Amino acid sequence: MGRFEEQQYSRWVLGVVAVMVIIFTMSACLKDDEGVNQISAVRALNAVPASTQLDIGLDGNKLNYDQYTGRDEDFAYLDTLPYKNAWPGNRLVRVFDPKDGRDASPVVQGTVGFTPGKFYSLYVVGHETIELMATEDDLSAPAAGKAKLRFIHLSPDAPALDFGVVGREAPLATNKAFKSVEGFFAIDAGEAYTFSITDHGTKEVLHTVELTPEPGVIYTVWVRGLLADGGDEALAFGHEVIIH
């Protein structure tokens, strides 16, 4: 057994109810019959350019572990874990590199507070220095005919960025530094958009994003990779889209 699995097994009996609840929809699993929120939900993203498989855990439980299959889930660069139940309160988040061995120290750790009934995302970010960050995810349904979208800057060597619709003067997000988040905003669904990611200082367009949002869907557009990628496609500056 690895560092997480030893503690995970000892807590299995206490966690079995939460595991069974996952069978139902996320909205149901976050409420009891009287509408009182009981637990939280969390997912995770590996945004460290070109990183190989990592392990991420809450307290002693491995987050990149599938209770149904009994197998570890992929958590290398660009991999996103699905939402999973999490007990509320302050939780210790630790990230390990499996290649370092079972007794190695975490590559990064931190404490994140979870509120009952809320959804969260964890992000492993950086390049030479690895960091953790977290967001609370507003998964309330968009209005009719609308989608929701947010923008997150996760390129470690990129300057502050603007994010907007090509052809429109006012950006949707402006002067966003590394690790900055522009919260969810509503956008018309069914329209084909070209978004620009622009250097805030020079106004140079560094990248564009093509997206046709669907009604009722919630998106996160995040900036990945390195501007100074040295021609290495694995490090290439660009974007990814998460559908919540």
Side-chain angles (χ1 to χ4, degrees):
M1 287 188 177
R3 56 177 69 81
F4 287 120
E5 286 87 343
E6 291 177 346
Q7 298 174 67
Q8 188 173 21
Y9 181 79
S10 66
R11 299 184 183 189
W12 181 85
V13 174
L14 293 177
V16 68
V17 173
V19 172
M20 293 177 65
V21 170
I22 299 175
I23 297 173
F24 302 99
T25 63
M26 287 305 301
S27 60
C29 81
L30 292 178
K31 294 184 178 181
D32 65 15
D33 292 338
E34 298 179 353
V36 180
N37 296 318
Q38 297 296 318
I39 58 175
S40 309
V42 63
R43 70 189 308 169
L45 164 67
N46 182 346
V48 180
S51 61
T52 55
Q53 175 74 5
L54 298 175
D55 288 334
I56 182 170
L58 297 179
D59 298 328
N61 298 319
K62 186 185 289 187
L63 196 59
N64 59 305
Y65 178 79
D66 190 320
Q67 294 277 2
Y68 296 113
T69 65
R71 296 172 181 263
D72 287 349
E73 296 172 288
D74 292 338
F75 196 59
Y77 178 44
L78 304 182
D79 286 331
T80 303
L81 302 176
Y83 284 109
K84 297 181 180 180
N85 291 350
W87 298 118
N90 292 325
R91 307 293 302 278
L92 175 63
V93 180
R94 294 180 295 169
V95 178
F96 292 90
D97 187 336
K99 297 191 302 297
D100 291 341
R102 59 177 296 167
D103 296 324
S105 298
V107 296
V108 66
Q109 66 179 24
T111 301
V112 177
F114 296 136
T115 299
K118 301 292 186 178
F119 292 79
Y120 297 87
S121 291
L122 303 173
Y123 308 84
V124 186
V125 303
H127 188 47
E128 294 180 353
T129 300
I130 308 302
E131 301 177 74
L132 277 173
M133 59 177 285
T135 59
E136 182 180 320
D137 301 341
D138 176 12
L139 301 190
S140 58
K146 299 286 187 178
K148 291 200 308 188
L149 184 149
R150 72 175 168 188
F151 175 75
I152 305 182
H153 180 348
L154 297 181
S155 172
D157 71 340
L161 300 173
D162 296 341
F163 178 77
V165 178
V166 172
R168 299 185 187 179
E169 184 175 350
L172 299 169
T174 184
N175 199 22
K176 294 299 179 182
F178 173 54
K179 298 189 296 181
S180 293
V181 180
E182 181 70 23
F184 289 104
F185 50 84
I187 192 167
D188 291 333
E191 180 178 344
Y193 291 90
T194 300
F195 298 100
S196 61
I197 297 172
T198 305
D199 183 325
H200 176 74
T202 67
K203 305 307 179 185
E204 176 188 359
V205 176
L206 303 177
H207 185 70
T208 58
V209 179
E210 306 288 340
L211 181 65
T212 302
E214 298 181 9
V217 179
I218 302 172
Y219 301 88
T220 291
V221 175
W222 65 278
V223 179
R224 60 162 169 79
L226 303 174
L227 277 178
D229 59 24
D232 186 346
E233 184 62 28
L235 300 174
F237 182 83
H239 80 281
E240 299 291 330
V241 177
I242 297 172
I243 298 177
H244 295 270

mmCIF file of all heavy atoms in Angstrom, residues 20-63:
data_model
loop_
_atom_site.group_PDB
_atom_site.id
_atom_site.type_symbol
_atom_site.label_atom_id
_atom_site.label_comp_id
_atom_site.label_asym_id
_atom_site.label_seq_id
_atom_site.Cartn_x
_atom_site.Cartn_y
_atom_site.Cartn_z
ATOM 1 N N MET A 20 -21.518 5.615 -1.342
ATOM 2 C CA MET A 20 -22.793 5.167 -1.892
ATOM 3 C C MET A 20 -23.612 6.338 -2.407
ATOM 4 O O MET A 20 -24.338 6.218 -3.401
ATOM 5 C CB MET A 20 -23.576 4.407 -0.820
ATOM 6 C CG MET A 20 -22.936 3.082 -0.413
ATOM 7 S SD MET A 20 -23.834 2.266 0.911
ATOM 8 C CE MET A 20 -25.381 1.914 0.094
ATOM 9 N N VAL A 21 -23.492 7.498 -1.754
ATOM 10 C CA VAL A 21 -24.261 8.656 -2.167
ATOM 11 C C VAL A 21 -23.872 9.120 -3.561
ATOM 12 O O VAL A 21 -24.669 9.715 -4.288
ATOM 13 C CB VAL A 21 -24.078 9.812 -1.147
ATOM 14 C CG1 VAL A 21 -24.665 11.113 -1.663
ATOM 15 C CG2 VAL A 21 -24.745 9.441 0.160
ATOM 16 N N ILE A 22 -22.636 8.841 -4.000
ATOM 17 C CA ILE A 22 -22.178 9.269 -5.321
ATOM 18 C C ILE A 22 -23.029 8.659 -6.421
ATOM 19 O O ILE A 22 -23.092 9.181 -7.529
ATOM 20 C CB ILE A 22 -20.685 8.889 -5.517
ATOM 21 C CG1 ILE A 22 -19.821 9.587 -4.468
ATOM 22 C CG2 ILE A 22 -20.193 9.257 -6.906
ATOM 23 C CD1 ILE A 22 -18.373 9.193 -4.506
ATOM 24 N N ILE A 23 -23.729 7.551 -6.131
ATOM 25 C CA ILE A 23 -24.589 6.923 -7.125
ATOM 26 C C ILE A 23 -25.629 7.907 -7.641
ATOM 27 O O ILE A 23 -26.020 7.862 -8.799
ATOM 28 C CB ILE A 23 -25.279 5.679 -6.528
ATOM 29 C CG1 ILE A 23 -24.219 4.638 -6.143
ATOM 30 C CG2 ILE A 23 -26.287 5.080 -7.486
ATOM 31 C CD1 ILE A 23 -24.773 3.453 -5.387
ATOM 32 N N PHE A 24 -26.081 8.796 -6.785
ATOM 33 C CA PHE A 24 -27.104 9.757 -7.169
ATOM 34 C C PHE A 24 -26.459 10.964 -7.827
ATOM 35 O O PHE A 24 -25.241 11.084 -7.873
ATOM 36 C CB PHE A 24 -27.900 10.193 -5.931
ATOM 37 C CG PHE A 24 -28.551 9.046 -5.236
ATOM 38 C CD1 PHE A 24 -27.964 8.481 -4.104
ATOM 39 C CD2 PHE A 24 -29.731 8.505 -5.724
ATOM 40 C CE1 PHE A 24 -28.556 7.419 -3.461
ATOM 41 C CE2 PHE A 24 -30.330 7.444 -5.073
ATOM 42 C CZ PHE A 24 -29.745 6.893 -3.952
ATOM 43 N N THR A 25 -27.249 11.878 -8.356
ATOM 44 C CA THR A 25 -26.727 13.083 -8.992
ATOM 45 C C THR A 25 -26.051 13.953 -7.963
ATOM 46 O O THR A 25 -26.330 13.882 -6.772
ATOM 47 C CB THR A 25 -27.867 13.888 -9.634
ATOM 48 O OG1 THR A 25 -28.747 14.316 -8.597
ATOM 49 C CG2 THR A 25 -28.624 13.065 -10.668
ATOM 50 N N MET A 26 -25.139 14.843 -8.462
ATOM 51 C CA MET A 26 -24.409 15.697 -7.539
ATOM 52 C C MET A 26 -25.353 16.618 -6.785
ATOM 53 O O MET A 26 -25.144 16.906 -5.614
ATOM 54 C CB MET A 26 -23.371 16.522 -8.298
ATOM 55 C CG MET A 26 -22.179 15.708 -8.769
ATOM 56 S SD MET A 26 -21.371 14.813 -7.425
ATOM 57 C CE MET A 26 -20.920 16.167 -6.353
ATOM 58 N N SER A 27 -26.407 17.083 -7.441
ATOM 59 C CA SER A 27 -27.333 17.963 -6.731
ATOM 60 C C SER A 27 -28.024 17.238 -5.601
ATOM 61 O O SER A 27 -28.264 17.801 -4.537
ATOM 62 C CB SER A 27 -28.381 18.530 -7.699
ATOM 63 O OG SER A 27 -29.117 17.481 -8.283
ATOM 64 N N ALA A 28 -28.353 15.952 -5.818
ATOM 65 C CA ALA A 28 -29.001 15.191 -4.764
ATOM 66 C C ALA A 28 -28.021 14.868 -3.655
ATOM 67 O O ALA A 28 -28.369 14.897 -2.488
ATOM 68 C CB ALA A 28 -29.601 13.910 -5.333
ATOM 69 N N CYS A 29 -26.781 14.578 -4.023
ATOM 70 C CA CYS A 29 -25.827 14.138 -3.005
ATOM 71 C C CYS A 29 -25.411 15.269 -2.093
ATOM 72 O O CYS A 29 -24.855 15.026 -1.036
ATOM 73 C CB CYS A 29 -24.595 13.501 -3.648
ATOM 74 S SG CYS A 29 -23.369 14.673 -4.250
ATOM 75 N N LEU A 30 -25.688 16.509 -2.473
ATOM 76 C CA LEU A 30 -25.310 17.622 -1.629
ATOM 77 C C LEU A 30 -26.449 18.078 -0.714
ATOM 78 O O LEU A 30 -26.300 19.021 0.034
ATOM 79 C CB LEU A 30 -24.849 18.799 -2.492
ATOM 80 C CG LEU A 30 -23.537 18.542 -3.232
ATOM 81 C CD1 LEU A 30 -23.183 19.742 -4.085
ATOM 82 C CD2 LEU A 30 -22.410 18.230 -2.270
ATOM 83 N N LYS A 31 -27.613 17.380 -0.771
ATOM 84 C CA LYS A 31 -28.723 17.784 0.079
ATOM 85 C C LYS A 31 -29.388 16.569 0.699
ATOM 86 O O LYS A 31 -29.454 15.505 0.097
ATOM 87 C CB LYS A 31 -29.760 18.565 -0.733
ATOM 88 C CG LYS A 31 -29.246 19.899 -1.256
ATOM 89 C CD LYS A 31 -30.350 20.657 -1.963
ATOM 90 C CE LYS A 31 -29.854 22.008 -2.451
ATOM 91 N NZ LYS A 31 -30.920 22.777 -3.118
ATOM 92 N N ASP A 32 -29.889 16.730 1.905
ATOM 93 C CA ASP A 32 -30.691 15.677 2.491
ATOM 94 C C ASP A 32 -32.158 15.922 2.159
ATOM 95 O O ASP A 32 -32.508 16.835 1.419
ATOM 96 C CB ASP A 32 -30.439 15.565 4.002
ATOM 97 C CG ASP A 32 -30.889 16.786 4.775
ATOM 98 O OD1 ASP A 32 -31.651 17.609 4.217
ATOM 99 O OD2 ASP A 32 -30.486 16.920 5.941
ATOM 100 N N ASP A 33 -33.061 15.097 2.682
ATOM 101 C CA ASP A 33 -34.473 15.189 2.323
ATOM 102 C C ASP A 33 -35.096 16.519 2.735
ATOM 103 O O ASP A 33 -36.122 16.923 2.210
ATOM 104 C CB ASP A 33 -35.258 14.038 2.947
ATOM 105 C CG ASP A 33 -34.879 12.708 2.324
ATOM 106 O OD1 ASP A 33 -34.376 12.727 1.188
ATOM 107 O OD2 ASP A 33 -35.102 11.664 2.974
ATOM 108 N N GLU A 34 -34.511 17.202 3.705
ATOM 109 C CA GLU A 34 -35.059 18.462 4.159
ATOM 110 C C GLU A 34 -34.363 19.646 3.500
ATOM 111 O O GLU A 34 -34.605 20.792 3.845
ATOM 112 C CB GLU A 34 -34.927 18.563 5.685
ATOM 113 C CG GLU A 34 -35.704 17.468 6.417
ATOM 114 C CD GLU A 34 -35.538 17.571 7.914
ATOM 115 O OE1 GLU A 34 -34.713 18.409 8.361
ATOM 116 O OE2 GLU A 34 -36.218 16.844 8.645
ATOM 117 N N GLY A 35 -33.474 19.368 2.546
ATOM 118 C CA GLY A 35 -32.802 20.445 1.828
ATOM 119 C C GLY A 35 -31.622 21.029 2.583
ATOM 120 O O GLY A 35 -31.127 22.098 2.237
ATOM 121 N N VAL A 36 -31.164 20.380 3.621
ATOM 122 C CA VAL A 36 -30.036 20.884 4.400
ATOM 123 C C VAL A 36 -28.751 20.297 3.832
ATOM 124 O O VAL A 36 -28.579 19.089 3.796
ATOM 125 C CB VAL A 36 -30.178 20.509 5.890
ATOM 126 C CG1 VAL A 36 -28.998 21.050 6.675
ATOM 127 C CG2 VAL A 36 -31.484 21.055 6.441
ATOM 128 N N ASN A 37 -27.856 21.157 3.403
ATOM 129 C CA ASN A 37 -26.621 20.691 2.791
ATOM 130 C C ASN A 37 -25.731 20.016 3.825
ATOM 131 O O ASN A 37 -25.569 20.493 4.939
ATOM 132 C CB ASN A 37 -25.882 21.865 2.145
ATOM 133 C CG ASN A 37 -26.673 22.471 1.000
ATOM 134 O OD1 ASN A 37 -27.245 21.741 0.205
ATOM 135 N ND2 ASN A 37 -26.714 23.788 0.926
ATOM 136 N N GLN A 38 -25.167 18.883 3.442
ATOM 137 C CA GLN A 38 -24.381 18.096 4.375
ATOM 138 C C GLN A 38 -22.911 17.983 3.999
ATOM 139 O O GLN A 38 -22.059 17.978 4.865
ATOM 140 C CB GLN A 38 -24.979 16.681 4.471
ATOM 141 C CG GLN A 38 -26.392 16.645 5.017
ATOM 142 C CD GLN A 38 -26.456 17.136 6.454
ATOM 143 O OE1 GLN A 38 -25.605 16.808 7.274
ATOM 144 N NE2 GLN A 38 -27.453 17.932 6.761
ATOM 145 N N ILE A 39 -22.608 17.847 2.709
ATOM 146 C CA ILE A 39 -21.238 17.613 2.305
ATOM 147 C C ILE A 39 -20.842 18.581 1.197
ATOM 148 O O ILE A 39 -21.662 19.357 0.709
ATOM 149 C CB ILE A 39 -21.033 16.162 1.822
ATOM 150 C CG1 ILE A 39 -21.982 15.854 0.662
ATOM 151 C CG2 ILE A 39 -21.224 15.185 2.967
ATOM 152 C CD1 ILE A 39 -21.764 14.489 0.059
ATOM 153 N N SER A 40 -19.580 18.533 0.823
ATOM 154 C CA SER A 40 -19.053 19.354 -0.250
ATOM 155 C C SER A 40 -18.649 18.443 -1.403
ATOM 156 O O SER A 40 -18.732 17.218 -1.306
ATOM 157 C CB SER A 40 -17.833 20.144 0.239
ATOM 158 O OG SER A 40 -18.113 20.838 1.438
ATOM 159 N N ALA A 41 -18.208 19.048 -2.498
ATOM 160 C CA ALA A 41 -17.685 18.288 -3.627
ATOM 161 C C ALA A 41 -16.459 19.002 -4.170
ATOM 162 O O ALA A 41 -16.396 20.243 -4.171
ATOM 163 C CB ALA A 41 -18.732 18.117 -4.724
ATOM 164 N N VAL A 42 -15.480 18.220 -4.640
ATOM 165 C CA VAL A 42 -14.229 18.806 -5.108
ATOM 166 C C VAL A 42 -13.693 18.022 -6.296
ATOM 167 O O VAL A 42 -13.880 16.810 -6.388
ATOM 168 C CB VAL A 42 -13.183 18.839 -3.963
ATOM 169 C CG1 VAL A 42 -12.821 17.439 -3.496
ATOM 170 C CG2 VAL A 42 -11.937 19.607 -4.371
ATOM 171 N N ARG A 43 -13.078 18.720 -7.231
ATOM 172 C CA ARG A 43 -12.371 18.101 -8.340
ATOM 173 C C ARG A 43 -10.967 18.689 -8.378
ATOM 174 O O ARG A 43 -10.662 19.640 -7.650
ATOM 175 C CB ARG A 43 -13.101 18.346 -9.659
ATOM 176 C CG ARG A 43 -13.051 19.778 -10.154
ATOM 177 C CD ARG A 43 -13.970 20.007 -11.355
ATOM 178 N NE ARG A 43 -13.751 19.042 -12.407
ATOM 179 C CZ ARG A 43 -14.560 18.901 -13.462
ATOM 180 N NH1 ARG A 43 -15.634 19.676 -13.578
ATOM 181 N NH2 ARG A 43 -14.307 18.012 -14.396
ATOM 182 N N ALA A 44 -10.095 18.169 -9.230
ATOM 183 C CA ALA A 44 -8.722 18.656 -9.271
ATOM 184 C C ALA A 44 -8.190 18.655 -10.698
ATOM 185 O O ALA A 44 -8.598 17.840 -11.528
ATOM 186 C CB ALA A 44 -7.814 17.807 -8.377
ATOM 187 N N LEU A 45 -7.278 19.590 -10.964
ATOM 188 C CA LEU A 45 -6.645 19.759 -12.271
ATOM 189 C C LEU A 45 -5.141 19.821 -12.088
ATOM 190 O O LEU A 45 -4.639 20.544 -11.221
ATOM 191 C CB LEU A 45 -7.144 21.043 -12.929
ATOM 192 C CG LEU A 45 -6.340 21.595 -14.116
ATOM 193 C CD1 LEU A 45 -6.426 20.661 -15.307
ATOM 194 C CD2 LEU A 45 -6.827 22.996 -14.489
ATOM 195 N N ASN A 46 -4.405 19.080 -12.913
ATOM 196 C CA ASN A 46 -2.946 19.179 -12.963
ATOM 197 C C ASN A 46 -2.585 20.128 -14.096
ATOM 198 O O ASN A 46 -2.715 19.789 -15.268
ATOM 199 C CB ASN A 46 -2.315 17.807 -13.182
ATOM 200 C CG ASN A 46 -0.787 17.856 -13.189
ATOM 201 O OD1 ASN A 46 -0.183 18.919 -13.290
ATOM 202 N ND2 ASN A 46 -0.161 16.690 -13.085
ATOM 203 N N ALA A 47 -2.113 21.330 -13.747
ATOM 204 C CA ALA A 47 -1.759 22.354 -14.729
ATOM 205 C C ALA A 47 -0.258 22.600 -14.786
ATOM 206 O O ALA A 47 0.175 23.631 -15.316
ATOM 207 C CB ALA A 47 -2.490 23.653 -14.409
ATOM 208 N N VAL A 48 0.556 21.687 -14.270
ATOM 209 C CA VAL A 48 2.012 21.842 -14.282
ATOM 210 C C VAL A 48 2.541 21.350 -15.627
ATOM 211 O O VAL A 48 2.465 20.151 -15.916
ATOM 212 C CB VAL A 48 2.664 21.062 -13.130
ATOM 213 C CG1 VAL A 48 4.180 21.227 -13.167
ATOM 214 C CG2 VAL A 48 2.105 21.510 -11.793
ATOM 215 N N PRO A 49 3.055 22.239 -16.481
ATOM 216 C CA PRO A 49 3.430 21.845 -17.838
ATOM 217 C C PRO A 49 4.373 20.650 -17.885
ATOM 218 O O PRO A 49 5.408 20.626 -17.203
ATOM 219 C CB PRO A 49 4.110 23.105 -18.393
ATOM 220 C CG PRO A 49 3.474 24.226 -17.634
ATOM 221 C CD PRO A 49 3.258 23.683 -16.261
ATOM 222 N N ALA A 50 3.971 19.656 -18.686
ATOM 223 C CA ALA A 50 4.767 18.449 -18.966
ATOM 224 C C ALA A 50 4.968 17.548 -17.757
ATOM 225 O O ALA A 50 5.756 16.603 -17.821
ATOM 226 C CB ALA A 50 6.124 18.808 -19.575
ATOM 227 N N SER A 51 4.260 17.779 -16.657
ATOM 228 C CA SER A 51 4.432 16.921 -15.485
ATOM 229 C C SER A 51 3.841 15.547 -15.745
ATOM 230 O O SER A 51 2.859 15.384 -16.457
ATOM 231 C CB SER A 51 3.788 17.551 -14.250
ATOM 232 O OG SER A 51 2.404 17.728 -14.438
ATOM 233 N N THR A 52 4.461 14.550 -15.149
ATOM 234 C CA THR A 52 3.962 13.191 -15.242
ATOM 235 C C THR A 52 2.985 12.933 -14.095
ATOM 236 O O THR A 52 2.569 13.851 -13.399
ATOM 237 C CB THR A 52 5.116 12.186 -15.211
ATOM 238 O OG1 THR A 52 5.913 12.422 -14.024
ATOM 239 C CG2 THR A 52 6.019 12.368 -16.431
ATOM 240 N N GLN A 53 2.610 11.671 -13.915
ATOM 241 C CA GLN A 53 1.590 11.311 -12.938
ATOM 242 C C GLN A 53 1.924 11.833 -11.546
ATOM 243 O O GLN A 53 3.040 11.657 -11.037
ATOM 244 C CB GLN A 53 1.432 9.793 -12.884
ATOM 245 C CG GLN A 53 0.476 9.274 -11.830
ATOM 246 C CD GLN A 53 -0.994 9.514 -12.184
ATOM 247 O OE1 GLN A 53 -1.305 9.985 -13.267
ATOM 248 N NE2 GLN A 53 -1.888 9.191 -11.270
ATOM 249 N N LEU A 54 0.942 12.484 -10.913
ATOM 250 C CA LEU A 54 1.033 12.922 -9.536
ATOM 251 C C LEU A 54 -0.082 12.266 -8.738
ATOM 252 O O LEU A 54 -1.086 11.812 -9.297
ATOM 253 C CB LEU A 54 0.909 14.444 -9.438
ATOM 254 C CG LEU A 54 1.976 15.276 -10.138
ATOM 255 C CD1 LEU A 54 1.625 16.767 -10.050
ATOM 256 C CD2 LEU A 54 3.359 15.022 -9.550
ATOM 257 N N ASP A 55 0.080 12.210 -7.423
ATOM 258 C CA ASP A 55 -0.967 11.777 -6.510
ATOM 259 C C ASP A 55 -1.408 12.982 -5.695
ATOM 260 O O ASP A 55 -0.577 13.739 -5.185
ATOM 261 C CB ASP A 55 -0.469 10.683 -5.565
ATOM 262 C CG ASP A 55 -0.258 9.356 -6.267
ATOM 263 O OD1 ASP A 55 -0.920 9.114 -7.292
ATOM 264 O OD2 ASP A 55 0.583 8.557 -5.795
ATOM 265 N N ILE A 56 -2.713 13.156 -5.562
ATOM 266 C CA ILE A 56 -3.249 14.266 -4.772
ATOM 267 C C ILE A 56 -4.254 13.701 -3.778
ATOM 268 O O ILE A 56 -5.037 12.806 -4.109
ATOM 269 C CB ILE A 56 -3.898 15.338 -5.675
ATOM 270 C CG1 ILE A 56 -4.399 16.518 -4.839
ATOM 271 C CG2 ILE A 56 -4.993 14.763 -6.562
ATOM 272 C CD1 ILE A 56 -4.824 17.725 -5.669
ATOM 273 N N GLY A 57 -4.190 14.203 -2.549
ATOM 274 C CA GLY A 57 -5.061 13.663 -1.516
ATOM 275 C C GLY A 57 -5.610 14.722 -0.596
ATOM 276 O O GLY A 57 -5.043 15.807 -0.447
ATOM 277 N N LEU A 58 -6.762 14.396 0.012
ATOM 278 C CA LEU A 58 -7.344 15.193 1.079
ATOM 279 C C LEU A 58 -7.128 14.440 2.376
ATOM 280 O O LEU A 58 -7.609 13.313 2.533
ATOM 281 C CB LEU A 58 -8.843 15.403 0.846
ATOM 282 C CG LEU A 58 -9.271 16.171 -0.401
ATOM 283 C CD1 LEU A 58 -10.790 16.258 -0.455
ATOM 284 C CD2 LEU A 58 -8.665 17.558 -0.417
ATOM 285 N N ASP A 59 -6.402 15.056 3.302
ATOM 286 C CA ASP A 59 -6.010 14.370 4.528
ATOM 287 C C ASP A 59 -5.343 13.040 4.137
ATOM 288 O O ASP A 59 -4.363 13.045 3.419
ATOM 289 C CB ASP A 59 -7.209 14.191 5.452
ATOM 290 C CG ASP A 59 -7.795 15.533 5.890
ATOM 291 O OD1 ASP A 59 -7.027 16.502 6.015
ATOM 292 O OD2 ASP A 59 -9.016 15.610 6.109
ATOM 293 N N GLY A 60 -5.885 11.902 4.554
ATOM 294 C CA GLY A 60 -5.249 10.629 4.224
ATOM 295 C C GLY A 60 -5.867 9.917 3.045
ATOM 296 O O GLY A 60 -5.503 8.774 2.764
ATOM 297 N N ASN A 61 -6.808 10.555 2.359
ATOM 298 C CA ASN A 61 -7.518 9.885 1.274
ATOM 299 C C ASN A 61 -7.043 10.383 -0.086
ATOM 300 O O ASN A 61 -7.002 11.593 -0.322
ATOM 301 C CB ASN A 61 -9.031 10.125 1.400
ATOM 302 C CG ASN A 61 -9.588 9.549 2.685
ATOM 303 O OD1 ASN A 61 -9.212 8.459 3.089
ATOM 304 N ND2 ASN A 61 -10.472 10.282 3.339
ATOM 305 N N LYS A 62 -6.716 9.451 -0.968
ATOM 306 C CA LYS A 62 -6.260 9.817 -2.301
ATOM 307 C C LYS A 62 -7.438 10.263 -3.149
ATOM 308 O O LYS A 62 -8.416 9.534 -3.322
ATOM 309 C CB LYS A 62 -5.539 8.636 -2.961
ATOM 310 C CG LYS A 62 -4.911 8.986 -4.309
ATOM 311 C CD LYS A 62 -4.317 7.778 -5.009
ATOM 312 C CE LYS A 62 -3.069 7.303 -4.308
ATOM 313 N NZ LYS A 62 -2.397 6.226 -5.105
ATOM 314 N N LEU A 63 -7.320 11.477 -3.702
ATOM 315 C CA LEU A 63 -8.400 12.014 -4.528
ATOM 316 C C LEU A 63 -8.397 11.377 -5.921
ATOM 317 O O LEU A 63 -9.466 11.199 -6.513
ATOM 318 C CB LEU A 63 -8.260 13.533 -4.631
ATOM 319 C CG LEU A 63 -9.476 14.315 -5.125
ATOM 320 C CD1 LEU A 63 -10.685 14.087 -4.240
ATOM 321 C CD2 LEU A 63 -9.138 15.818 -5.172
#
